[in-house]
Amino acid sequence: MMKNKKSVLIILSILLVAGLAGCKKKAVQTEQKDRLILGFSQIGSESAWRTRNTQSIMEAAEENNIQIIFDDAQQKQENQLKAIRSFIVYQVDVIAFVPIVEDGWDNVLTEAQEAGIPVIVVDRQINADPSLYAGFLGENGLEEGRRAARFLVNKCKNTNSTINILEMSGTENSSVVRERAKGFREVIAEDPKFKIIHSEDGDFLRSRGKEIGENLINNTLRKDGLFFNGQRIDAVYSHNDSMTLGLLDSIEQYGVNTKNTIMISVDAEQKSIDALVAGKLNCVVECNPNLGPMLMSLVKQIAAGETIPRITYNTETVFTEDDDFSLYTPRGY
């Protein structure tokens, strides 16, 4: 009889411990569920701007107690497609991604929708059925192009001669390239003296900007300015700072005098602001990389069942050679 009582006590103890363990496991699962999980795919780290963009998102996620599953696509769309599908398998609460190019997203977005996971497109826009994603957060590329052109038009308002323009564009088939090019052309089209004599894809890379500069210089063997097919380049419009800085590398390496060349860039990294202060650039249009706080706000709204705006633009400005730079704090990127 005593032996049977001991057996019963042992069994009850085991059941009690198992029950407590089960409660603990359930509490942990509830705690994990309460913390939102965001799957985020970044295109890469091609510039200081992009690095800061990623940092902003990671910092904001931590501040908002949102867990991030991060993927670096290394400039390849196929990597992003794999990452988004892995986020779906993991059953994250929200997916956000910076699309490398505009096209080719419908299938994977359909898969996310069927899995009940909302998607936010960040920084660059896409060509896809709008019903497949919740909204877009990022820059107004059209307005950035317009701002660059407005500076050029105002700078040359007292000039009657033709203004030959070199354009260094970014990654082919990306929305930001199309928009920055379109916005710029909209404004200069109002005056026939502005002519884009050459546009070349620099893939947003400093190395490509340097290469473009070297080719221009070596093809003319002149140091009194930049030339293309015998035509003097009066203005350079670069779609991002990395390419601009690469071009400046070539100019400095070969000792080319570009004092009379109007230089306009987009992004506003600290190095480009430094070049502006040094008189190497004339205008830098800001593209604000600090999207993190706004993204986390949208993520929480979606997770709460709310509808977010179709388009949310970040606040941006323009820096010019006429500014008082003593008023500016370091950019931090």
Side-chain angles (χ1 to χ4, degrees):
M1 187 71 178
M2 193 67 156
K3 187 175 180 182
N4 288 339
K5 281 184 178 181
K6 283 185 178 179
S7 299
V8 170
L9 287 172
I10 290 170
I11 292 170
L12 288 172
S13 298
I14 292 171
L15 290 172
L16 179 61
V17 170
L20 289 171
C23 288
K24 185 177 180 181
K25 184 177 180 182
K26 191 171 183 180
V28 170
Q29 288 176 339
T30 302
E31 182 182 347
Q32 288 177 341
K33 188 177 180 182
D34 287 344
R35 190 182 185 198
L36 293 175
I37 301 176
L38 170 66
F40 177 62
S41 176
Q42 180 63 277
I43 64 173
S45 54
E46 80 284 2
S47 65
W49 189 99
R50 186 63 58 192
T51 299
R52 177 55 204 156
N53 181 232
T54 300
Q55 289 173 344
S56 172
I57 290 168
M58 302 298 270
E59 290 167 1
E62 184 175 352
E63 290 171 2
N64 286 272
N65 193 33
I66 293 175
Q67 180 182 343
I68 280 196
I69 300 176
F70 176 78
D71 178 80
D72 182 339
Q74 299 180 339
Q75 305 292 330
K76 295 180 180 179
Q77 185 181 27
E78 57 265 33
N79 291 343
Q80 286 198 298
L81 294 172
K82 290 178 184 176
I84 293 172
R85 289 191 168 103
S86 72
F87 297 155
I88 295 171
V89 170
Y90 195 85
Q91 294 185 316
V92 300
D93 295 295
V94 180
I95 293 172
F97 74 107
V98 179
I100 295 174
V101 294
E102 288 186 287
D103 300 312
W105 304 105
D106 290 80
N107 289 340
V108 74
L109 291 179
T110 299
E111 293 169 25
Q113 188 177 73
E114 290 172 349
I117 303 174
V119 177
I120 302 173
V121 179
V122 180
D123 183 40
R124 301 179 180 181
Q125 301 206 43
I126 59 175
N127 285 327
D129 182 348
S131 68
L132 294 177
Y133 61 98
F136 166 78
L137 165 65
E139 66 199 71
N140 187 336
L142 279 170
E143 189 57 30
E144 289 169 351
R146 291 171 186 143
R147 287 170 177 167
R150 288 182 194 125
F151 172 83
L152 179 61
V153 169
N154 185 64
K155 176 83 172 173
C156 301
K157 62 184 177 182
N158 297 322
T159 303
N160 295 321
S161 57
T162 298
I163 305 297
N164 294 324
I165 304 166
L166 164 70
E167 178 184 45
M168 292 195 296
S169 64
T171 303
E172 190 177 1
N173 297 323
S174 63
S175 67
V176 67
V177 167
R178 175 180 54 78
E179 290 176 348
R180 288 177 182 173
K182 182 179 179 181
F184 186 81
R185 284 163 174 75
E186 279 181 7
V187 176
I188 65 170
E190 297 174 6
D191 190 334
K193 74 181 177 187
F194 295 101
K195 294 182 179 180
I196 298 175
I197 61 171
H198 183 54
S199 181
E200 188 164 347
D201 174 9
D203 205 22
F204 290 126
L205 298 173
R206 184 164 183 160
S207 58
R208 281 288 294 128
K210 188 174 190 297
E211 181 182 351
I212 291 170
E214 287 177 343
N215 289 338
L216 290 173
I217 295 166
N218 290 328
N219 285 339
T220 59
L221 299 177
R222 296 179 64 168
K223 294 189 177 182
D224 59 332
L226 296 173
F227 293 82
F228 178 76
N229 286 345
Q231 296 177 287
R232 180 180 291 276
I233 295 170
D234 302 297
V236 174
Y237 169 47
S238 173
H239 285 203
N240 90 328
D241 288 344
S242 289
M243 295 185 297
T244 307
L245 294 169
L247 179 65
L248 291 180
D249 289 340
S250 294
I251 289 169
E252 292 175 6
Q253 179 182 345
Y254 291 93
V256 176
N257 182 1
T258 55
K259 183 179 180 180
N260 296 319
T261 307
I262 302 168
M263 309 284 282
I264 304 170
S265 186
V266 181
D267 272 355
E269 297 176 8
Q270 185 59 52
K271 289 184 178 179
S272 69
I273 297 298
D274 293 341
L276 185 59
V277 174
K280 298 175 183 178
L281 300 180
N282 301 88
C283 174
V284 179
V285 178
E286 182 186 34
C287 177
N288 192 341
N290 298 306
L291 297 173
M294 297 172 74
L295 177 59
M296 298 313 139
S297 176
L298 295 176
V299 167
K300 289 192 289 187
Q301 288 178 52
I302 289 176
E306 300 174 14
T307 300
I308 65 172
R310 288 304 307 168
I311 296 178
T312 302
Y313 288 134
N314 206 355
T315 303
E316 297 173 338
T317 188
V318 179
F319 303 93
T320 78
E321 58 193 354
D322 299 319
D323 292 354
D324 180 358
F325 295 100
S326 67
L327 301 175
Y328 297 144
T329 56
R331 305 290 288 162
Y333 60 92

